[in-house]
mmCIF file of all heavy atoms in Angstrom:
data_model
loop_
_atom_site.group_PDB
_atom_site.id
_atom_site.type_symbol
_atom_site.label_atom_id
_atom_site.label_comp_id
_atom_site.label_asym_id
_atom_site.label_seq_id
_atom_site.Cartn_x
_atom_site.Cartn_y
_atom_site.Cartn_z
ATOM 1 N N ASP A 16 73.716 99.909 121.333
ATOM 2 C CA ASP A 16 74.669 100.465 122.258
ATOM 3 C C ASP A 16 75.559 101.527 121.640
ATOM 4 O O ASP A 16 76.488 102.018 122.243
ATOM 5 C CB ASP A 16 75.537 99.351 122.851
ATOM 6 C CG ASP A 16 74.681 98.375 123.655
ATOM 7 O OD1 ASP A 16 73.693 98.832 124.254
ATOM 8 O OD2 ASP A 16 75.042 97.191 123.693
ATOM 9 N N ASP A 17 75.322 101.918 120.393
ATOM 10 C CA ASP A 17 76.176 102.857 119.666
ATOM 11 C C ASP A 17 75.919 104.275 120.234
ATOM 12 O O ASP A 17 74.903 104.857 119.947
ATOM 13 C CB ASP A 17 75.864 102.801 118.180
ATOM 14 C CG ASP A 17 76.755 103.725 117.384
ATOM 15 O OD1 ASP A 17 77.764 104.213 117.925
ATOM 16 O OD2 ASP A 17 76.432 103.976 116.186
ATOM 17 N N THR A 18 76.875 104.780 120.970
ATOM 18 C CA THR A 18 76.725 106.107 121.522
ATOM 19 C C THR A 18 77.805 107.063 121.010
ATOM 20 O O THR A 18 77.948 108.189 121.471
ATOM 21 C CB THR A 18 76.852 106.090 123.107
ATOM 22 O OG1 THR A 18 78.139 105.505 123.428
ATOM 23 C CG2 THR A 18 75.707 105.303 123.697
ATOM 24 N N SER A 19 78.595 106.626 120.004
ATOM 25 C CA SER A 19 79.697 107.420 119.499
ATOM 26 C C SER A 19 79.224 108.787 118.968
ATOM 27 O O SER A 19 79.931 109.739 119.002
ATOM 28 C CB SER A 19 80.463 106.669 118.444
ATOM 29 O OG SER A 19 79.645 106.392 117.368
ATOM 30 N N ALA A 20 78.026 108.861 118.397
ATOM 31 C CA ALA A 20 77.556 110.110 117.846
ATOM 32 C C ALA A 20 77.173 111.141 118.926
ATOM 33 O O ALA A 20 77.192 112.326 118.643
ATOM 34 C CB ALA A 20 76.347 109.870 116.942
ATOM 35 N N THR A 21 76.862 110.672 120.135
ATOM 36 C CA THR A 21 76.447 111.601 121.157
ATOM 37 C C THR A 21 77.394 111.671 122.333
ATOM 38 O O THR A 21 77.287 112.546 123.157
ATOM 39 C CB THR A 21 75.046 111.227 121.689
ATOM 40 O OG1 THR A 21 75.089 109.878 122.158
ATOM 41 C CG2 THR A 21 74.020 111.376 120.580
ATOM 42 N N ASP A 22 78.347 110.762 122.425
ATOM 43 C CA ASP A 22 79.256 110.726 123.549
ATOM 44 C C ASP A 22 80.538 111.439 123.164
ATOM 45 O O ASP A 22 81.295 110.996 122.307
ATOM 46 C CB ASP A 22 79.565 109.246 123.910
ATOM 47 C CG ASP A 22 80.462 109.141 125.178
ATOM 48 O OD1 ASP A 22 80.942 110.166 125.658
ATOM 49 O OD2 ASP A 22 80.686 108.003 125.572
ATOM 50 N N PRO A 23 80.861 112.627 123.786
ATOM 51 C CA PRO A 23 82.036 113.353 123.421
ATOM 52 C C PRO A 23 83.317 112.578 123.595
ATOM 53 O O PRO A 23 84.278 112.793 122.897
ATOM 54 C CB PRO A 23 82.011 114.595 124.308
ATOM 55 C CG PRO A 23 80.756 114.586 125.052
ATOM 56 C CD PRO A 23 80.070 113.274 124.806
ATOM 57 N N ALA A 24 83.304 111.637 124.523
ATOM 58 C CA ALA A 24 84.528 110.866 124.777
ATOM 59 C C ALA A 24 84.864 109.929 123.608
ATOM 60 O O ALA A 24 86.008 109.639 123.355
ATOM 61 C CB ALA A 24 84.344 110.046 126.077
ATOM 62 N N THR A 25 83.831 109.461 122.874
ATOM 63 C CA THR A 25 84.079 108.563 121.767
ATOM 64 C C THR A 25 83.914 109.205 120.423
ATOM 65 O O THR A 25 84.358 108.665 119.391
ATOM 66 C CB THR A 25 83.150 107.355 121.847
ATOM 67 O OG1 THR A 25 81.785 107.822 121.807
ATOM 68 C CG2 THR A 25 83.376 106.534 123.068
ATOM 69 N N SER A 26 83.319 110.347 120.337
ATOM 70 C CA SER A 26 83.098 110.982 119.033
ATOM 71 C C SER A 26 84.270 111.876 118.609
ATOM 72 O O SER A 26 84.363 112.282 117.500
ATOM 73 C CB SER A 26 81.832 111.820 119.025
ATOM 74 O OG SER A 26 81.979 112.932 119.940
ATOM 75 N N GLY A 27 85.175 112.184 119.569
ATOM 76 C CA GLY A 27 86.290 113.031 119.239
ATOM 77 C C GLY A 27 85.943 114.520 119.189
ATOM 78 O O GLY A 27 86.749 115.341 118.850
ATOM 79 N N GLY A 28 84.714 114.851 119.540
ATOM 80 C CA GLY A 28 84.300 116.249 119.487
ATOM 81 C C GLY A 28 83.916 116.775 120.834
ATOM 82 O O GLY A 28 83.884 116.070 121.807
ATOM 83 N N ASP A 29 83.648 118.056 120.861
ATOM 84 C CA ASP A 29 83.158 118.657 122.106
ATOM 85 C C ASP A 29 81.702 118.342 122.302
ATOM 86 O O ASP A 29 80.990 118.011 121.377
ATOM 87 C CB ASP A 29 83.392 120.167 122.077
ATOM 88 C CG ASP A 29 84.843 120.527 122.041
ATOM 89 O OD1 ASP A 29 85.663 119.771 122.588
ATOM 90 O OD2 ASP A 29 85.186 121.573 121.453
ATOM 91 N N GLU A 30 81.259 118.515 123.501
ATOM 92 C CA GLU A 30 79.858 118.342 123.765
ATOM 93 C C GLU A 30 79.010 119.373 123.043
ATOM 94 O O GLU A 30 79.424 120.528 122.935
ATOM 95 C CB GLU A 30 79.619 118.497 125.277
ATOM 96 C CG GLU A 30 78.346 117.832 125.726
ATOM 97 C CD GLU A 30 78.313 117.653 127.231
ATOM 98 O OE1 GLU A 30 79.312 117.306 127.815
ATOM 99 O OE2 GLU A 30 77.225 117.899 127.789
ATOM 100 N N PRO A 31 77.875 119.010 122.437
ATOM 101 C CA PRO A 31 77.102 119.977 121.692
ATOM 102 C C PRO A 31 76.631 121.122 122.579
ATOM 103 O O PRO A 31 76.266 120.940 123.722
ATOM 104 C CB PRO A 31 75.878 119.174 121.220
ATOM 105 C CG PRO A 31 76.134 117.734 121.512
ATOM 106 C CD PRO A 31 77.298 117.697 122.476
ATOM 107 N N THR A 32 76.620 122.345 121.990
ATOM 108 C CA THR A 32 76.253 123.501 122.765
ATOM 109 C C THR A 32 74.867 124.028 122.329
ATOM 110 O O THR A 32 74.319 124.890 122.986
ATOM 111 C CB THR A 32 77.230 124.667 122.519
ATOM 112 O OG1 THR A 32 77.199 125.042 121.132
ATOM 113 C CG2 THR A 32 78.649 124.283 122.921
ATOM 114 N N GLY A 33 74.340 123.543 121.213
ATOM 115 C CA GLY A 33 73.059 124.033 120.733
ATOM 116 C C GLY A 33 73.249 125.227 119.802
ATOM 117 O O GLY A 33 72.352 125.616 119.088
ATOM 118 N N GLU A 34 74.437 125.820 119.789
ATOM 119 C CA GLU A 34 74.726 126.941 118.907
ATOM 120 C C GLU A 34 75.302 126.385 117.616
ATOM 121 O O GLU A 34 76.059 125.427 117.612
ATOM 122 C CB GLU A 34 75.798 127.860 119.514
ATOM 123 C CG GLU A 34 75.309 128.536 120.809
ATOM 124 C CD GLU A 34 74.193 129.478 120.557
ATOM 125 O OE1 GLU A 34 74.237 130.249 119.561
ATOM 126 O OE2 GLU A 34 73.253 129.528 121.350
ATOM 127 N N PRO A 35 74.940 126.967 116.453
ATOM 128 C CA PRO A 35 75.505 126.508 115.194
ATOM 129 C C PRO A 35 76.994 126.831 115.116
ATOM 130 O O PRO A 35 77.463 127.814 115.643
ATOM 131 C CB PRO A 35 74.747 127.320 114.114
ATOM 132 C CG PRO A 35 74.213 128.501 114.831
ATOM 133 C CD PRO A 35 74.019 128.093 116.273
ATOM 134 N N THR A 36 77.751 125.881 114.487
ATOM 135 C CA THR A 36 79.160 126.152 114.282
ATOM 136 C C THR A 36 79.320 127.196 113.190
ATOM 137 O O THR A 36 78.346 127.487 112.473
ATOM 138 C CB THR A 36 79.879 124.858 113.838
ATOM 139 O OG1 THR A 36 79.351 124.461 112.584
ATOM 140 C CG2 THR A 36 79.666 123.735 114.871
ATOM 141 N N GLU A 37 80.546 127.715 113.020
ATOM 142 C CA GLU A 37 80.778 128.706 111.943
ATOM 143 C C GLU A 37 80.426 128.077 110.609
ATOM 144 O O GLU A 37 79.814 128.737 109.764
ATOM 145 C CB GLU A 37 82.206 129.127 111.987
ATOM 146 C CG GLU A 37 82.511 130.243 110.962
ATOM 147 C CD GLU A 37 83.920 130.751 111.074
ATOM 148 O OE1 GLU A 37 84.493 130.731 112.161
ATOM 149 O OE2 GLU A 37 84.422 131.216 110.058
ATOM 150 N N GLU A 38 80.745 126.800 110.411
ATOM 151 C CA GLU A 38 80.435 126.106 109.159
ATOM 152 C C GLU A 38 78.935 126.005 108.951
ATOM 153 O O GLU A 38 78.426 126.245 107.851
ATOM 154 C CB GLU A 38 81.060 124.749 109.183
ATOM 155 C CG GLU A 38 80.956 124.011 107.859
ATOM 156 C CD GLU A 38 81.683 122.675 107.908
ATOM 157 O OE1 GLU A 38 82.914 122.676 108.113
ATOM 158 O OE2 GLU A 38 81.019 121.644 107.743
ATOM 159 N N GLU A 39 78.159 125.694 109.991
ATOM 160 C CA GLU A 39 76.721 125.531 109.900
ATOM 161 C C GLU A 39 76.013 126.873 109.639
ATOM 162 O O GLU A 39 74.974 126.911 109.021
ATOM 163 C CB GLU A 39 76.132 124.893 111.144
ATOM 164 C CG GLU A 39 76.555 123.467 111.344
ATOM 165 C CD GLU A 39 76.209 122.926 112.720
ATOM 166 O OE1 GLU A 39 76.075 123.698 113.656
ATOM 167 O OE2 GLU A 39 76.071 121.700 112.830
ATOM 168 N N SER A 40 76.600 127.971 110.134
ATOM 169 C CA SER A 40 75.920 129.236 110.008
ATOM 170 C C SER A 40 76.331 129.977 108.751
ATOM 171 O O SER A 40 76.085 131.179 108.577
ATOM 172 C CB SER A 40 76.233 130.140 111.226
ATOM 173 O OG SER A 40 77.580 130.461 111.278
ATOM 174 N N GLY A 41 77.029 129.296 107.855
ATOM 175 C CA GLY A 41 77.384 129.895 106.576
ATOM 176 C C GLY A 41 78.791 130.467 106.581
ATOM 177 O O GLY A 41 79.241 131.044 105.621
ATOM 178 N N GLY A 42 79.506 130.380 107.709
ATOM 179 C CA GLY A 42 80.883 130.775 107.792
ATOM 180 C C GLY A 42 81.049 132.278 108.004
ATOM 181 O O GLY A 42 82.138 132.767 108.205
ATOM 182 N N ALA A 43 79.973 133.039 107.898
ATOM 183 C CA ALA A 43 80.114 134.496 108.078
ATOM 184 C C ALA A 43 80.043 134.850 109.522
ATOM 185 O O ALA A 43 79.176 134.376 110.268
ATOM 186 C CB ALA A 43 79.009 135.190 107.324
ATOM 187 N N ALA A 44 80.955 135.667 109.997
ATOM 188 C CA ALA A 44 81.005 135.999 111.413
ATOM 189 C C ALA A 44 79.750 136.706 111.865
ATOM 190 O O ALA A 44 79.278 136.521 112.957
ATOM 191 C CB ALA A 44 82.224 136.886 111.677
ATOM 192 N N GLY A 45 79.134 137.535 110.965
ATOM 193 C CA GLY A 45 77.941 138.280 111.362
ATOM 194 C C GLY A 45 76.673 137.476 111.206
ATOM 195 O O GLY A 45 75.637 137.896 111.628
ATOM 196 N N GLY A 46 76.734 136.344 110.586
ATOM 197 C CA GLY A 46 75.545 135.508 110.386
ATOM 198 C C GLY A 46 75.538 134.805 109.072
ATOM 199 O O GLY A 46 76.438 134.900 108.281
ATOM 200 N N GLU A 47 74.440 134.169 108.832
ATOM 201 C CA GLU A 47 74.256 133.349 107.645
ATOM 202 C C GLU A 47 74.055 134.206 106.402
ATOM 203 O O GLU A 47 73.203 135.100 106.385
ATOM 204 C CB GLU A 47 73.025 132.462 107.881
ATOM 205 C CG GLU A 47 72.612 131.585 106.750
ATOM 206 C CD GLU A 47 71.377 130.776 107.071
ATOM 207 O OE1 GLU A 47 70.723 131.071 108.067
ATOM 208 O OE2 GLU A 47 71.106 129.886 106.264
#
């Protein structure tokens, strides 16, 4: 029943958008 990783209400994060975050994309505004 553990849904905290996917439920925005319990994970404290926003719903996933499918787009990489700035941290995931290497932090560079123009790209990785």
